[in-house]
Amino acid sequence: MLKFSRNKLVSIARKDPDTLRIHGVLDDDLYGLEMEILVRLSDLKLISVSGKWNRWTTPECPKALSFLGIAVGFCIDEEGLEQKIQKTIGRRACRHFATLLIECCDSVKEVVRIIQWEEFRIKHPGLTFEEFLSGLSPDSSGSDTTRHVSMESDRIQDSQEPIQVLERIREVDSVPDRALGGMVIDLHTHSYPASSCSSVSEDQLIEESKRIGLDGICLTDHNYVWNPDRVKNLTQKHGFLVLRGNEITTDQGHMLVFGLDLDIREKGIIKLDELRREVKKADGYMIVVHPFRGFLTFGVERLGLNLEKAMKRPLFKYVDAIEVMNGKVTREENDFASRVADGLGLSGIGGSDAHKASEVGLYATRFQNSIVDEKDMIEMLKRGKFSPVAFRKRNKGILKKNRTATT
Ligand SMILES: [Zn+2]
Ligand SMILES: [Zn+2]
């Protein structure tokens, strides 16, 4: 027998170009309440929150209304918003209002995506919503990067300067590889069958790495933990340094982790803060890869993304380094990642993200010291003794063509 049903209803309208008006209703067998919220699109902040009771139980309930204003200033895409609402509105006002507010905020996130999509469609009329989402959040693996993109709405055109593409030739790039000593390792590769999206076996990847003169390769298959003995066997079999890492899909994008033996496949998409804790426990190292993949595809000015905003993305607080040279993104996206890394004072790595043999070594990471095993590599990463390099393009005769390294 059904004891009660609880229903929440949210409707959202655009009050003016920069404001959404949200009306939420919650109704169950005991309580009936409504909320009216205004959200500013340019910074996704709650600018007004009010409520009313239709039905309630105790004389305490009406007092809750005066505490709803605590939520003014909360940002729809801020980290831990749900917990924050529960801790503030849930405790000071009432948990029913907290539940309803969370529902309203979640709905706003969806609406913001739809608005962004509609704006992109002005330039790209054929773009479906799914294509739009996969452009913002590639691999369509559910990583939810869109919520960190804030809207500039109609103010973009006059105030926003487009991102400038800087020619960034790192010092190390002008010096021949061998003359620098140390080791050059491609830290980001995918092999089949460990990564179903790859078309190259680990043996072929390793042989190609050896052929083009890399000093080592790191197998970083998606959400896949390589057995350390298998990796050692590969090193012996090919007479070439093979290491392992894991590219893990989190709620805030893809992370390369080293030194972590956790198999997360059963968990599905993991929360970044959870992963950070695991990596710390394991004394490992974590790098965000292709942090802006797809972001610049549609024209950055439409997204309202600028360096300052990009640097504030919460994910950067959780990582040890940023992949600033990735073989599968545009030069502009790499360049932007590089500027963010510089701005935040984080180290940058390079990796090809190869899914075919011909892509391995496009970009790689130079370590200043020699590395013989995984432990060494993590140690060198932690000491910051590395830099990203464009490797394949300087090995003339080997490189035929590639999409991004056209400098
Ligand atoms: Zn990835
Ligand atoms: Zn990858």
Side-chain angles (χ1 to χ4, degrees):
M1 187 70 174
L2 187 65
K3 279 208 173 131
F4 72 89
S5 67
R6 167 166 294 169
N7 286 307
K8 296 186 284 282
L9 196 74
V10 179
S11 56
I12 301 180
R14 203 159 179 171
K15 184 171 167 269
D16 60 54
D18 196 30
T19 315
L20 293 179
R21 183 197 282 128
I22 301 99
H23 188 79
V25 179
L26 188 155
D27 199 79
D28 63 24
D29 62 332
L30 294 174
Y31 300 95
L33 46 139
E34 291 180 37
M35 286 187 102
E36 185 87 18
I37 302 155
L38 296 180
V39 170
R40 189 163 52 212
L41 278 169
S42 50
D43 57 6
L44 297 181
K45 282 192 173 155
L46 275 56
I47 49 177
S48 153
V49 181
S50 57
K52 71 168 188 175
W53 286 106
N54 295 327
R55 287 181 294 118
W56 67 96
T57 53
T58 72
E60 291 299 300
C61 292
K63 291 183 191 161
L65 299 179
S66 59
F67 291 104
L68 297 179
I70 300 171
V72 170
F74 287 11
C75 180
I76 294 294
D77 69 350
E78 73 183 77
E79 182 114 8
L81 178 66
E82 195 178 321
Q83 292 90 312
K84 193 170 167 183
I85 291 173
Q86 258 144 9
K87 272 192 198 151
T88 52
I89 302 298
R91 289 194 194 148
R92 305 280 299 279
C94 133
R95 65 189 173 84
H96 296 94
F97 273 112
T99 307
L100 182 56
L101 182 58
I102 289 165
E103 185 70 20
C104 290
C105 291
D106 284 345
S107 307
V108 171
K109 281 184 201 172
E110 299 300 314
V111 166
V112 165
R113 284 199 191 102
I114 294 167
I115 294 172
Q116 289 173 330
W117 172 54
E118 285 183 340
E119 296 192 346
F120 287 141
R121 277 201 308 175
I122 299 168
K123 276 192 190 165
H124 306 269
L127 192 76
T128 68
F129 191 49
E130 286 68 34
E131 283 164 350
F132 165 70
L133 288 180
S134 65
L136 286 181
S137 170
D139 284 8
S140 56
S141 52
S143 66
D144 192 1
T145 43
T146 48
R147 63 201 169 105
H148 302 296
V149 180
S150 54
M151 292 286 298
E152 278 294 328
S153 190
D154 297 344
R155 289 193 266 144
I156 298 162
Q157 283 86 345
D158 35 343
S159 63
Q160 187 95 37
E161 267 181 46
I163 287 177
Q164 287 184 352
V165 180
L166 301 181
E167 265 322 301
R168 300 168 69 85
I169 298 164
R170 291 174 180 264
E171 271 170 65
V172 69
D173 272 3
S174 56
V175 185
D177 284 307
R178 293 285 152 254
L180 281 160
M183 285 176 106
V184 181
I185 299 173
D186 187 342
L187 285 183
H188 186 172
T189 65
H190 296 279
S191 65
Y192 184 84
S195 290
S196 56
C197 50
S198 172
S199 60
V200 59
S201 70
E202 62 270 22
D203 289 304
Q204 287 168 303
L205 267 184
I206 295 163
E207 279 308 309
E208 178 67 2
S209 306
K210 206 171 158 179
R211 189 182 75 83
I212 64 172
L214 281 167
D215 299 302
I217 182 177
C218 198
L219 302 171
T220 57
D221 290 295
H222 291 288
N223 307 316
Y224 181 88
V225 181
W226 273 93
N227 177 303
D229 293 330
R230 267 188 74 197
V231 172
K232 259 182 224 151
N233 288 342
L234 285 169
T235 298
Q236 276 162 10
K237 178 176 164 192
H238 293 276
F240 186 77
L241 178 66
V242 183
L243 300 160
R244 63 184 191 134
N246 190 340
E247 180 171 359
I248 295 183
T249 307
T250 76
D251 62 339
Q252 298 189 51
H254 291 180
M255 304 292 148
L256 272 192
V257 298
F258 300 102
L260 183 70
D261 265 307
L262 181 75
D263 191 341
I264 65 120
R265 270 174 299 176
E266 306 223 316
K267 291 190 180 191
I269 293 165
I270 191 170
K271 287 201 157 175
L272 181 58
D273 54 348
E274 231 174 90
L275 182 61
R276 174 77 261 183
R277 277 197 297 277
E278 294 294 340
V279 171
K280 208 170 175 187
K281 239 193 277 168
D283 207 12
Y285 197 85
M286 178 154 82
I287 300 161
V288 57
V289 292
H290 48 70
F292 299 104
R293 184 166 72 175
F295 273 59
L296 309 188
T297 314
F298 298 109
V300 70
E301 66 279 12
R302 302 291 314 169
L303 276 170
L305 185 69
N306 60 31
L307 191 60
E308 208 182 306
K309 276 188 192 169
M311 278 164 53
K312 284 193 188 137
R313 287 176 71 197
L315 74 92
F316 294 120
K317 283 186 282 190
Y318 295 99
V319 300
D320 300 304
I322 301 179
E323 186 185 53
V324 298
M325 287 186 176
N326 172 288
K328 306 294 273 184
V329 307
T330 63
R331 209 178 77 200
E332 288 81 359
E333 284 159 351
N334 275 333
D335 188 68
F336 194 67
S338 183
R339 290 166 65 200
V340 167
D342 287 351
L344 292 169
L346 282 169
S347 305
I349 67 138
S352 67
D353 208 351
H355 287 66
K356 306 186 229 178
S358 59
E359 293 168 346
V360 74
L362 184 55
Y363 296 120
T365 301
R366 167 185 306 290
F367 290 88
Q368 284 174 27
N369 300 70
S370 289
I371 284 171
V372 293
D373 58 19
E374 189 179 316
K375 218 174 119 246
D376 272 353
M377 174 179 64
I378 294 170
E379 172 84 25
M380 285 308 135
L381 284 167
K382 286 188 172 174
R383 286 211 247 152
K385 296 195 168 241
F386 59 88
S387 52
V389 287
F391 184 81
R392 208 178 239 270
K393 70 172 179 177
R394 278 184 292 130
N395 287 259
K396 287 194 183 79
I398 293 166
L399 175 72
K400 291 193 181 79
K401 62 170 181 164
N402 68 66
R403 192 163 61 86
T404 52
T406 50
T407 47

